[in-house]
Amino acid sequence: MVSGKDETAVLDRKLKMGMVGGGRDAFIGAVHRRAATLDQGVALVCGAFSSTPEKSKAAAKDFYIADDRAYGTYQEMIEGESALAPGERIDFVSIVTPNHMHYPVAKAFVDAGFNVVMDKPMVHTSEQAQSLIDAVEKQGVVLAVTYNYTGYPMVKQARHMVQQGMLGEIRKVIVEYPQGWLATKAEDGDNKQAQWRTDPARSGIAGAMGDIGSHAENLMSTITGLEVAEICADLSIFVPGRLLDDDANVLLRFTNGARGILSVSQVCIGEENNLKIRVWGTEGSLEWHQEHPNYLYYTDGGPVQVLERGKDYVCEAAKRATRLPTGHPEAFIEAFGNVYLNATDTMRAKLLGVEPTELELDFPTVYDGAIGVAFIEAVVASSESDKKWLPFKQGFARTRGRMTSI
């Protein structure tokens, strides 16, 4: 690739996107479709949208997909798209299936040379994660994992302030994500989201920890840059008859000597998506709330400052992630859109033969996904162990778009 960004190099078309999963009534699939096309640079052109060919092709009509690109299965989709000429076939696939299908679908598309954007947790096991890493490195494709909370402008601002030393050396981190939607046994009804998220065969070895705990871990690591050294975890099942954890509390020791607490739950009645993080250092502290995402709270020991999204004083990454002036709230779909924006701009750079910029490379990669999977496994192992603390080695560098293992 040519070093540096060539401002005269412009791709004269939208990127073509395919989707696996996300059919009728699928919550996260709809979010991905809206987020991917938010900046007018992507068009959804094909998909295998459901678990049966009939449902998939019916859903394709809802999305105005041409009949010849409404595929019955993801295998049929790979075969059909691979047969098309470059520029006509898809540039990337978005994978929004239940967790158990993440690995086989992603691995098949990567092996076929396609870029991938996929939901988290990336796969079920570290062995699958390593296999996917090997395939990504061999094919040289882009793989992004939608840890969407890292797409919020004020999360990028918080990370910038930590990197600039405004908090000094980090001493303590508390991240929590309480929800209440699984306070009763919703999986016994017709709630499809509850059914697959509480099913070990489809969700994996963890429930709340895998579903929202993976978000909490990634948010904490993204903002602070800290690496976990040891874990002491307690997973609980509060709803009788449930097969996976619905509450998790984790004590953390970091490699720099800092301490942390990660607490997530899906049985906290009255809570919706109350993800928040607090970070304390030797020189200052900050706080961010997902349900009030346009504001970041910071103090160096004096009065608390309220930093606002969209202001001139925020960092370049936060500015790039902002679309509207202050006073016009931006939130969940826009944060997803920012992951897509950077991942697809990196794909464009690849197509043009130029190096993507650091701002374009600011998205979670296959390595972030692998760390998340390893963290879930370590938390489950710790909860099941008689030992107070278990070591944790993440195994990969968080390089924000760069494909570098350690």
Side-chain angles (χ1 to χ4, degrees):
M1 284 190 177
V2 177
S3 179
K5 187 69 171 178
D6 181 0
E7 297 297 338
T8 65
V10 178
L11 196 65
D12 60 355
R13 62 174 178 84
K14 293 185 178 184
L15 292 187
K16 293 178 172 63
M17 167 184 168
M19 178 168 278
V20 177
R24 288 177 173 174
D25 302 321
F27 160 66
I28 206 64
V31 170
H32 278 257
R33 285 190 294 274
R34 292 170 181 138
T37 59
L38 187 62
D39 294 297
Q40 310 301 311
V42 171
L44 178 66
V45 300
C46 74
F49 298 102
S50 193
S51 57
T52 69
E54 295 77 18
K55 289 181 179 179
S56 177
K57 293 183 179 183
K61 294 185 182 299
D62 296 343
F63 311 139
Y64 306 99
I65 302 298
D67 289 344
D68 62 345
R69 299 183 83 173
Y71 298 106
T73 66
Y74 76 87
Q75 295 95 332
E76 180 185 329
M77 180 174 161
I78 293 172
E79 181 178 357
E81 292 300 306
S82 296
L84 297 175
E88 293 299 320
R89 65 171 67 115
I90 56 170
D91 296 292
F92 72 97
V93 61
S94 178
I95 301 171
V96 291
T97 64
N99 297 350
H100 71 294
M101 292 302 295
H102 285 187
Y103 173 72
V105 177
K107 180 67 162 52
F109 273 93
V110 170
D111 283 345
F114 291 101
N115 300 308
V116 171
V117 179
M118 61 190 301
D119 218 359
K120 58 87 243 153
M122 186 172 76
V123 291
H124 271 182
T125 69
S126 286
E127 290 76 18
Q128 290 177 344
Q130 184 61 60
S131 172
L132 197 51
I133 287 170
D134 293 342
V136 167
E137 292 180 339
K138 178 181 179 180
Q139 295 295 335
V141 299
V142 174
L143 189 147
V145 182
T146 50
Y147 289 107
N148 63 292
Y149 299 110
T150 66
Y152 281 105
M154 300 317 284
V155 168
K156 296 179 184 296
Q157 177 65 20
R159 179 188 61 188
H160 172 77
M161 292 166 70
V162 171
Q163 291 174 342
Q164 293 299 303
M166 294 180 66
L167 275 67
E169 185 177 358
I170 304 303
R171 288 173 167 168
K172 187 175 183 69
V173 184
I174 298 179
V175 59
E176 56 185 279
Y177 197 161
Q179 296 178 333
W181 72 291
L182 289 177
T184 60
K185 206 162 186 285
E187 58 265 40
D188 285 349
D190 58 0
N191 189 324
K192 292 182 180 180
Q193 292 292 321
Q195 289 169 2
W196 78 256
R197 291 179 192 275
T198 58
D199 177 8
R202 289 180 284 176
S203 185
I205 61 172
M209 186 61 228
D211 190 15
I212 56 177
S214 55
H215 272 307
E217 180 276 325
N218 187 265
L219 178 70
M220 171 191 71
S221 298
T222 296
I223 288 177
T224 68
L226 297 179
E227 294 185 5
V228 175
E230 294 179 293
I231 292 173
C232 177
D234 177 33
L235 301 184
S236 301
I237 299 175
F238 280 110
V239 175
R242 182 162 287 159
L243 300 178
L244 292 173
D245 60 279
D246 48 31
D247 185 88
N249 299 283
V250 186
L251 296 177
L252 303 167
R253 290 174 176 169
F254 298 98
T255 55
N256 76 328
R259 298 294 189 263
I261 300 172
L262 185 152
S263 177
V264 300
S265 182
Q266 293 178 315
V267 297
C268 295
I269 291 174
E271 295 288 0
E272 295 175 337
N273 285 280
N274 196 12
L275 172 63
K276 62 183 175 182
I277 185 168
R278 289 171 285 172
V279 184
W280 293 269
T282 55
E283 304 294 334
S285 66
L286 59 78
E287 183 171 344
W288 180 77
H289 297 241
Q290 194 272 151
E291 292 185 345
H292 307 280
N294 293 284
Y295 304 98
L296 176 66
Y297 303 89
Y298 168 77
T299 181
D300 59 3
V304 175
Q305 300 177 38
V306 183
L307 285 74
E308 299 178 73
R309 179 201 54 77
K311 294 293 189 180
D312 288 340
Y313 52 68
V314 301
C315 68
E316 291 303 313
K319 289 178 180 176
R320 175 176 167 83
T322 297
R323 294 171 180 81
L324 299 175
T326 53
H328 300 284
E330 293 186 336
F332 189 74
I333 289 178
E334 288 89 343
F336 259 101
N338 288 329
V339 176
Y340 270 98
L341 173 65
N342 291 343
T344 55
D345 274 355
T346 297
M347 295 174 200
R348 285 188 187 88
K350 181 175 173 238
L351 287 170
L352 293 166
V354 299
E355 285 287 343
T357 68
E358 289 299 320
L359 290 175
E360 292 169 337
L361 288 166
D362 186 14
F363 63 89
T365 70
V366 66
Y367 299 111
D368 297 275
I371 294 168
V373 172
F375 185 79
I376 293 167
E377 291 175 331
V379 167
V380 172
S382 173
S383 183
E384 295 175 347
S385 175
D386 292 332
K387 293 183 179 180
K388 184 176 181 180
W389 291 94
L390 289 183
F392 176 70
K393 178 172 173 54
Q394 64 181 37
F396 302 95
R398 294 184 186 275
T399 53
R400 317 305 297 170
R402 299 288 184 191
M403 300 300 179
T404 304
S405 62
I406 58 174

